[in-house]
Amino acid sequence: MPSVSIPSARRQRTDGRESPERGGPSSILVLALGTFAVGTDAFVVAGFLPSMAGELHVSTAAAGQSITVFAAAYALLSPVLATVTARLPRRALLVGALITLGLANLCSALAPDLAVLIAGRIVAAAGAAAYTPTAGAVGAALVRPELRARALAVVIGGLTVATALGVPLGSLAGHWLGWRTALGIVAGLCLLIALGVRLIMPALPGNARVPLRTRLAVLRRPAVLAVLPLTVLGMGAAYTAYAYSVPVLRAVRVPDGADLWMLLLYGLGAVLGNLASGYATDRWGSVRVLTAGYVAMALSLALPAWIAATHVSLPAVVGPLVLLWGASSWCQTPAQQHRLIEVAPQEAPLVVSLNSSGIYLGIGLGTVLGGLALPHGATLVYALGAALAVAALLFLRITARVAVRGN
């Protein structure tokens, strides 16, 4: 099977020798800013779902399906776009993806009804699907192999910072400015960062074009199949409650006004968990990091389920649980990407792309499950998330040896 290599981050000097391209650390940072824009676009919607639903004359659960549609479109388009855009220079692809994302947000901001909004979200998903996997693969190419997990953590750190700020900022913007203005601001952010990528990123070549069927053949590898489904399970666990975070926080006695602080705690945990995962994976290995993460996630969702069911008021406990929930949710991504690159190093851009598809499939799964459970109460929403976290832990422990043997 033809392989897809990580683009070289080096250029030829005039004396014929190879020298590093300029802009390594600054390029990693601007890539992270791009993932921040992508993540803000994906996560900000959850902060103003009630107001969006009211203006579009649909239920909150129906408006929440705009998140599901975005996630499903991302998951389906990611491997297709990786094939179609394989030969494009990486910088041009990254800039074009951010411009697409910005224009799609303008469309969503002006949407007169839910159908137009969803169309805009599908186009936005295309821009995100083209950007995030490419940014992850390029970020891994810009550093030495022993620093790869840390570089991935920084690039994905943009998503976790967006997690920290997206929903609370969406809630504030939806209240003070309106959800349409909030999406317009996201559009401007995407276009501004596109300019930054164009000015700072080094020029990197594209890859040889490989047919989609050949690309997806990597899914027949036992080692890849032992890793990739875990991303879907883990993100599904995280998003069952998070997509509906505003109403489910009310069920654990978080008062009006304090939910913003709880969402900021979640985001702080997400940032800390992501960065810690990068360093811990390089030092102790991805399986240990993920094991600890899924145990923590199961506890951080099971205890709120008990609080919601018993109607007790434990504000001093809820805050740390939300922090742990965020950390455990976002410690997954650097470790999972590192595992996939380890088992398929010659197909690194592809497996990173497939992992991004898995992330958004998981988001879609969690959003659907949460939307179905929400009418029956927050206890069931939290309990479903905890059950998926336990399923992810079991899957990890059962398949870890297969991944090692496959490598």
Side-chain angles (χ1 to χ4, degrees), residues 31 43 110 114 134 168 181 214 221 242 252 276 280 304 344 373 376 405:
L31 289 172
F43 303 135
L110 299 172
L114 185 60
T134 304
T181 301
T214 304
R221 295 189 183 185
Y242 186 72
V252 290
H376 303 285
R405 287 198 299 268

Side-chain angles (χ1 to χ4, degrees), residues 296-369:
M297 191 190 302
L299 291 174
S300 67
L301 291 170
L303 288 176
W306 175 78
I307 292 172
T310 57
H311 307 290
V312 298
S313 180
L314 297 172
V317 174
V318 171
L321 286 175
V322 171
L323 182 75
L324 184 63
W325 177 20
S328 59
S329 296
W330 285 95
C331 76
Q332 304 177 70
T333 307
Q336 276 291 92
Q337 288 189 338
H338 193 267
R339 291 179 79 203
L340 285 164
I341 291 174
E342 279 186 325
V343 300
Q346 296 304 312
E347 290 84 16
L350 172 61
V351 293
V352 170
S353 172
L354 292 173
N355 192 61
S356 293
S357 293
I359 288 173
Y360 282 91
L361 278 175
I363 290 173
L365 171 66
T367 304
V368 168
L369 290 176

Side-chain angles (χ1 to χ4, degrees), residues 243-271:
Y244 304 95
S245 51
V246 175
V248 298
L249 284 173
R250 294 279 191 273
V252 290
R253 304 298 182 271
V254 174
D256 290 343
D259 54 349
L260 176 62
W261 296 106
M262 290 296 149
L263 292 172
L264 287 172
L265 275 176
Y266 178 97
L268 175 62
V271 173

Side-chain angles (χ1 to χ4, degrees), residues 65-126:
Q65 296 315 303
S66 64
I67 301 174
T68 304
V69 168
F70 179 98
Y74 184 112
L76 294 173
L77 289 172
S78 187
V80 175
L81 290 174
T83 299
V84 173
T85 64
R87 294 183 180 179
L88 290 179
R90 301 295 90 180
R91 183 172 62 190
L93 175 58
L94 292 167
V95 170
L98 288 171
I99 290 174
T100 300
L101 189 62
L103 295 178
N105 273 283
L106 287 177
C107 173
S108 297
L110 299 172
D113 52 39
L114 185 60
V116 175
L117 174 71
I118 286 179
R121 301 307 293 158
I122 292 172
V123 176

Side-chain angles (χ1 to χ4, degrees), residues 2-246:
S3 63
V4 182
S5 61
I6 298 177
S8 174
R10 295 180 174 270
R11 58 182 171 86
Q12 290 295 123
R13 294 189 343 185
T14 54
D15 61 5
R17 291 181 295 171
E18 237 183 14
S19 64
E21 271 284 12
R22 292 175 294 174
S26 59
S27 296
I28 295 291
L29 178 59
V30 79
L31 289 172
L33 289 174
T35 57
F36 172 76
V38 171
T40 301
D41 174 69
F43 303 135
V44 75
V45 174
F48 47 69
L49 273 182
S51 60
M52 177 189 287
E55 186 168 336
L56 296 177
H57 307 292
V58 297
S59 67
T60 300
Q65 296 315 303
S66 64
I67 301 174
T68 304
V69 168
F70 179 98
Y74 184 112
L76 294 173
L77 289 172
S78 187
V80 175
L81 290 174
T83 299
V84 173
T85 64
R87 294 183 180 179
L88 290 179
R90 301 295 90 180
R91 183 172 62 190
L93 175 58
L94 292 167
V95 170
L98 288 171
I99 290 174
T100 300
L101 189 62
L103 295 178
N105 273 283
L106 287 177
C107 173
S108 297
L110 299 172
D113 52 39
L114 185 60
V116 175
L117 174 71
I118 286 179
R121 301 307 293 158
I122 292 172
V123 176
Y131 182 86
T132 306
T134 304
V138 169
L142 291 174
V143 299
R144 301 189 305 274
E146 62 270 22
L147 300 177
R148 187 179 290 155
R150 274 171 259 191
L152 288 168
V154 172
V155 174
I156 299 302
L159 285 174
T160 58
V161 172
T163 303
L165 300 178
V167 174
L169 286 182
S171 181
L172 285 175
H175 179 73
W176 294 106
L177 302 174
W179 64 272
R180 296 183 186 275
T181 301
L183 287 177
I185 292 171
V186 173
L189 177 67
C190 293
L191 297 176
L192 181 62
I193 296 175
L195 177 62
V197 171
R198 176 63 183 84
L199 294 176
I200 296 173
M201 270 291 299
L204 297 175
N207 302 304
R209 186 170 181 178
V210 179
L212 182 61
R213 180 179 297 178
T214 304
R215 282 178 172 269
L216 296 182
V218 72
L219 292 174
R220 292 198 295 266
R221 295 189 183 185
V224 173
L225 287 176
V227 175
L228 203 54
L230 183 61
T231 298
V232 180
L233 283 173
M235 293 307 296
Y239 254 77
T240 298
Y242 186 72
Y244 304 95
S245 51
V246 175

Side-chain angles (χ1 to χ4, degrees), residues 287-305:
V287 173
R288 290 182 179 179
V289 170
L290 290 167
T291 298
Y294 293 129
V295 169
M297 191 190 302
L299 291 174
S300 67
L301 291 170
L303 288 176

